[in-house]
Amino acid sequence: MILAAGLGTRLRPLTDRTPKPLLPIAGRPMIDYTLAWVAAAGIRQVMINLHHMGERIRQAVGAERFGLEISYSEEPVILGTGGGLKRVERFFADGPFLVVNADVLTAVDPNAVVRAHFETRPLATLVVRRDPQVATYGAIGIDRDGRIRRFLGRGPQAPAPTEEVMFTGIHVVDPRVLADLPAAGTFSPITDAYITIVERGTPLMGYLTDAPWIDIGTPERYRQAEQWVADGVIQPPAGLPSR
């Protein structure tokens, strides 16, 4: 699932006329980087949720791109991450699925993330990283084995010391997580499911990475993302997307 329903308010006025996933980075729409990254994991079916200028995104991306079969979920009222997932719950009934924000650029190996999830089979595997501003993003406490012991300050006392890291917005999710979400409404799996899972002692895992990662939420980070592509820190999608 690629989350593309956001308003992009912090990037205004750029997003007044162009939805954030279509803003160009080195001449390619931002969402192309995400789609190519997902395709590199061998995934072939993708759901994209839409709200702000959603029809523009649908027209630009189409029903097939980078070898991906693409479906869409229109949200007349923006539902948040959890609400967006719950709305298309049946799409993910067959097994674990990958969730990523459309405004994330990263060099994390998606295959390694998926393999790590299937090795331990937790309810979810969250890609996490060290960051000097971890408290700003919301701290997650992981132990030496990568198990998440504290989530945004909540959870039972860990049996061993934990390290505070931040969540990158990339996660592999077991469909059983969706059962912990409300049937309808606007909500986030972080506050409505993951905290509950951690508090009851069911394993959630963190995949710790030091690979380049950036969320393009501000003009400063937008400029940094373009510079990273120019410098080769982030590779642009290879070739042209098939249509």
Side-chain angles (χ1 to χ4, degrees), residues 149-151 153-156 193-202:
R149 297 290 184 174
R150 303 279 291 173
F151 213 106
R154 293 171 60 179
Y194 289 163
I195 290 175
T196 300
I197 291 168
V198 170
E199 288 182 329
R200 73 183 179 211
T202 305

Side-chain angles (χ1 to χ4, degrees), residues 67-208:
L68 299 166
E69 177 187 331
I70 300 173
S71 302
Y72 297 92
S73 174
E74 298 277 357
E75 298 179 9
V77 177
I78 197 165
L79 297 175
T81 303
L85 290 171
K86 191 70 174 180
R87 183 180 177 89
V88 291
E89 185 173 9
R90 291 183 181 179
F91 187 80
F92 303 113
D94 293 340
F97 56 96
L98 183 67
V99 182
V100 59
N101 295 324
D103 63 350
V104 162
L105 266 64
T106 185
V108 173
D109 180 357
N111 289 287
V113 176
V114 172
R115 283 196 304 270
H117 179 82
F118 279 94
E119 285 172 2
T120 56
R121 287 281 187 165
L123 282 184
T125 298
L126 284 64
V127 178
V128 296
R129 61 190 294 273
R130 300 178 178 95
D131 194 284
Q133 297 182 326
V134 63
T136 302
Y137 287 98
I140 295 173
I142 60 170
D143 65 18
R144 61 187 298 177
D145 296 320
R147 179 167 170 174
I148 296 173
R149 297 290 184 174
R150 303 279 291 173
F151 213 106
L152 305 183
R154 293 171 60 179
Q157 186 63 40
T162 60
E163 178 182 5
E164 289 194 338
V165 293
M166 60 152 289
F167 177 39
T168 64
I170 302 167
H171 36 153
V172 181
V173 184
D174 189 285
R176 289 174 293 171
V177 170
L178 302 183
D180 284 321
L181 299 178
T186 302
F187 47 87
S188 163
I190 290 177
T191 56
D192 292 280
Y194 289 163
I195 290 175
T196 300
I197 291 168
V198 170
E199 288 182 329
R200 73 183 179 211
T202 305
L204 285 182
M205 298 298 291
Y207 178 90
L208 184 61

